[in-house]
Every structure is written in C-alpha cells, then in structure tokens.
Amino acid sequence: MTRDRLVTLLASRHFQAVVAAIVVVVLAGLIYAGQQELMAKGIVSGFDFLWRSTGWDIGFSLIPYSISDPYWKVLLIGLMNTLFLGFAGLALATLVGVLVGVARTSHNPVLNAIGTIYVETFRNVPLILQAFFWYAVYTHLPPPRRAIEFGDAIFLSARGIYLPGFNISNGAIAICAVLLVVGIVAALWLISSRRLTGWAEARRLPLAGLALVVAAIAIFLVGEAGRIADQPVISMPELRGLNIRGGLRLTSEFAALLTAMSLYGGAYLGEIIRAGFLSIPKGQIEAAKALGFRPFHIFTLVRLPLAIRAILPTLTNQYVWLIKATTLGIAVGFSDFFLVISTSINQSGQTVELLLILMGGFLLINYTIGTVMNAINRSIAIKGQGTRK
C-alpha cells in the first residue's frame, strides 16, 4: 500500500468510526471486568452512595449543611467552595497583575524597581509554601477580644477576618456574584465585539448599559428573595462577649489560600500583561498622542485594549492553572472540592466513583473557562491577523 493510500484510509470516516467502536467496546469490557472483580471481593460499586448521609461535618459552606445531609450535597458544597475561592482569586490576581504590569512598564525607576522586586519575590517561592506562610500569619493574629480593628468595620483575629456583609443567604450571594460576572462580561463583549453589525453595532454602549441594568435588576431580585427577615440589609461585625458577631467572616484557611493565590498569580499575570504592553507598536501610541489623547485616555483606550487582545490566549492558560491551584486547600484544611472528595473517599470507600466526579468537575470548570475566553478572543480579534472563525 502506497503512502498516499494509507493516509487516505486513515483519514476516511469509515476507518475512524471502526477505531472509535473498538475503543468503546474495549472500555466497556474493562468496566464490566472491573465491576465483576469488585463484586467478587464484596465491594459495592456505583453511585447509590450519593444519597446516603455523610455523618461528618465540614469547616466552610456557602449553603446550610448538617451531618445528616447526603453525599451529593457535600460534593456540591465542595464544588461551590472551589468556584468561590477560584474566581475570587482570579479577580484579585488580575487586579494585582494589572498594577504590576503597569509598574514594570513604567518609565519611573522607583515603580519599575518595585514591580521587579515583587515579581522576583513571589514568582520564585512555591505556592504551597506561600499558603503555609499566610496560614501561619492569620492563625497567629490576636484573639477576638484584642482583634486588630479598622474603623469599627474590619476585624482581624485568629478566628478569621470579619468584613461588612449582607444579611442575605450565602446561596443568594453566590448567585448574585455569578450574575454580576455575567453582566460585566456581556457588557464588555458588546463594547468590544467585532461580530456586531448594522443596528446593533451603532448601539454598542446602550446595549452594554442595558446588559448591566438587567444584571442589576436580577441581582436585586435574587438578593431580596434571599434576604434574612427582620434584619437590616448591611450586617456590620461587632465584638459581643468573647467573639465577633455579624458581618462576613472569612476563615483563616480561606484567607490564607486567597492571599497566596492572588499574590503568586499576580506575579505571573503581571509578566503576561507586561508582555502585552510591550507588544503594542510605538506608532499607535504616537498616533494617539498626535490626536491629542491624554495619558489616561491613551492607557484606557489604546494600550489596555490592544494588550488584552495580545495576551488573552496566555491569560486563559494562567486562569486554568490558578483554578487547579485551589486543590492546595487540602494543605491548610480548606473544604474545597479536592478535600471534600478525599474525605468522602475515606468515609465511603467509593474511590473510583469519587475520583471520576472530581476529574469531571475540574474538566467542566476549566473547559467552560477555556471556551468563554476563546469566544472572547475570537470576538475581539482584529480581522486579517490570523483570525480563526
């Protein structure tokens, strides 16, 4: 058989369908053999355990939970904790990264030196070591009666960080956060997308404003539905007896991981954003200056949008990496998805099923992030520069 005929055969749909069928049959045979082996050893496989009571507690939950709740609920809580920590870490790391990137490209030698020292310090220390460090710092803060106060609104103590919060259920707050992110992403897409044509293209700003208004109304309705009865909307933390009551409490484990992820991720994101700024042709900056743009407008209307276009593919990889870094919660005792799965394996013995759920959960999260970021990248890409539709 010639090389061309072999290539044609391998590329044919019939051959690929036969290969796919063989793979499916082999996998089905392996699964069946594995089940028979487990049954022979008296081990029950399957997902029926998801409806059994757990009998153990967890340290952090965004929704009400008790030890009589089933396994599917504790797994859901672990997934929600991972999403809460991951997206909070991404937001703070991005903010830190922008500041570091601006400092690293600044002509001011002091700012440039601060940015360089920051990157070299936090990038070269392992993330797990930074998580241990911040956990030690937060757990060695004073007790609640001698907590460090900032304007009677923020308290730092060994039992956690207390901030002003809302008298709204944690589940409603999580939904509001998702709606806020969706509204902001939709508004940015409407402003920057090159896929809008005709009537919609001429009304970018009104449509973006409408998206934000719709998101605000949805957040208000969800907040009202989840509001705790007979309580003011804002809950301020205050010292009562030996403890601090009210407000939003961030546990030491959550605060340590969030701080470590934000600082460590911010160092990498700062370098990515710096590379994006440096990739902008000087001619475009000079053209903006010639048109009379002020430095702020040059940054917000020229440098930042062009840098975002250049760094989005690399930024996507870094975001996916930071989400996977939430699994370090097991090192400091934060009830993230990985820790909840590990505890469930020890308590139920359903190792294979729970590991499949863990892999499926992270696959779903990171695939969604990659899909959304790629869609944004395609929508804001400049046509004629290797754009793929």
Side-chain angles (χ1 to χ4, degrees):
M1 181 181 293
T2 62
R3 181 176 178 277
D4 292 340
R5 291 190 62 183
L6 178 61
V7 172
T8 303
L9 176 63
L10 294 177
S12 67
R13 293 185 177 180
H14 292 93
F15 180 80
Q16 294 180 7
V18 170
V19 172
I22 293 173
V23 171
V24 171
V25 170
V26 171
L27 288 177
L30 291 173
I31 293 173
Y32 178 77
Q35 284 185 331
Q36 294 300 314
E37 185 69 20
L38 291 174
M39 290 177 63
K41 294 181 178 180
I43 300 175
V44 178
S45 61
F47 293 91
D48 293 341
F49 74 96
L50 292 175
W51 278 262
R52 295 204 310 258
S53 297
T54 59
W56 43 275
D57 203 357
I58 58 177
F60 184 86
S61 175
L62 293 172
I63 58 176
Y65 170 78
S66 68
I67 60 175
S68 59
D69 284 328
Y71 272 91
W72 67 263
K73 188 170 184 180
V74 77
L75 297 181
L76 175 64
I77 291 172
L79 182 62
M80 291 176 65
N81 290 348
T82 289
L83 291 174
F84 183 51
L85 172 64
F87 285 104
L90 291 184
L92 291 178
T94 303
L95 178 62
V96 173
V98 171
L99 296 176
V100 172
V102 172
R104 289 273 281 159
T105 54
S106 172
H107 296 296
N108 186 314
V110 177
L111 284 178
N112 199 301
I114 292 174
T116 302
I117 293 171
Y118 177 89
V119 170
E120 296 302 332
T121 301
F122 288 99
R123 188 178 60 177
N124 294 321
V125 178
L127 177 57
I128 189 170
L129 183 56
Q130 295 190 39
F132 282 136
F133 172 77
W134 289 112
Y135 183 66
V137 170
Y138 288 128
T139 53
H140 282 78
L141 289 171
R145 287 184 62 84
R146 293 189 287 111
I148 302 172
E149 300 181 29
F150 295 94
D152 292 333
I154 300 175
F155 295 81
L156 305 181
S157 77
R159 293 188 182 180
I161 299 175
Y162 293 81
L163 307 170
F166 296 98
N167 280 317
I168 300 174
S169 65
N170 291 333
I173 290 177
I175 296 174
C176 290
V178 173
L179 290 172
L180 178 63
V181 172
V182 171
I184 293 174
V185 171
L188 291 175
W189 184 83
L190 288 169
I191 292 173
S192 58
S193 176
R194 294 180 175 274
R195 294 192 173 187
L196 297 181
T197 57
W199 179 88
E201 186 179 18
R203 294 169 176 79
R204 289 178 180 273
L205 290 179
L207 288 174
L210 179 62
L212 292 175
V213 170
V214 171
I217 293 174
I219 290 172
F220 175 76
L221 294 176
V222 172
E224 279 295 312
R227 183 176 171 182
I228 299 173
D230 302 327
Q231 296 289 334
V233 177
I234 303 296
S235 172
M236 298 296 291
E238 57 180 325
L239 182 62
R240 296 178 188 172
L242 299 177
N243 206 350
I244 299 173
R245 307 293 181 185
L248 172 65
R249 174 177 175 254
L250 302 179
T251 63
S252 300
E253 295 83 5
F254 178 85
L257 276 176
L258 182 63
T259 306
M261 284 180 58
S262 304
L263 297 178
Y264 186 78
Y268 278 91
L269 292 177
E271 286 299 272
I272 294 172
I273 293 171
R274 170 176 169 261
F277 284 141
L278 295 178
S279 69
I280 301 171
K282 291 183 179 178
Q284 302 208 21
I285 306 296
E286 293 172 355
K289 291 179 180 177
L291 290 172
F293 282 26
R294 295 182 177 180
F296 176 76
H297 292 143
I298 292 175
F299 177 77
T300 56
L301 300 178
V302 180
R303 292 186 67 197
L304 189 59
L306 290 175
I308 290 175
R309 285 196 180 102
I311 65 175
L312 263 183
T314 311
L315 203 61
T316 303
N317 291 333
Q318 193 62 30
Y319 279 175
V320 169
W321 187 92
L322 280 175
I323 288 292
K324 289 187 286 188
T326 58
T327 54
L328 289 178
I330 195 171
V332 295
F334 176 67
S335 303
D336 72 312
F337 198 30
F338 187 71
L339 178 58
V340 168
I341 288 285
S342 300
T343 308
S344 300
I345 290 174
N346 291 332
Q347 297 293 329
S348 68
Q350 307 292 145
T351 305
V352 177
E353 294 86 350
L354 286 164
L355 288 179
L356 286 174
I357 293 174
L358 178 62
M359 290 189 291
F362 274 105
L363 179 64
L364 178 64
I365 295 171
N366 290 326
Y367 184 78
T368 303
I369 292 175
T371 302
V372 171
M373 294 293 285
N374 288 334
I376 296 174
N377 186 35
R378 285 194 297 272
S379 67
I380 67 175
I382 299 175
K383 294 180 180 179
Q385 295 189 0
T387 305
R388 293 182 60 186
K389 296 182 178 180

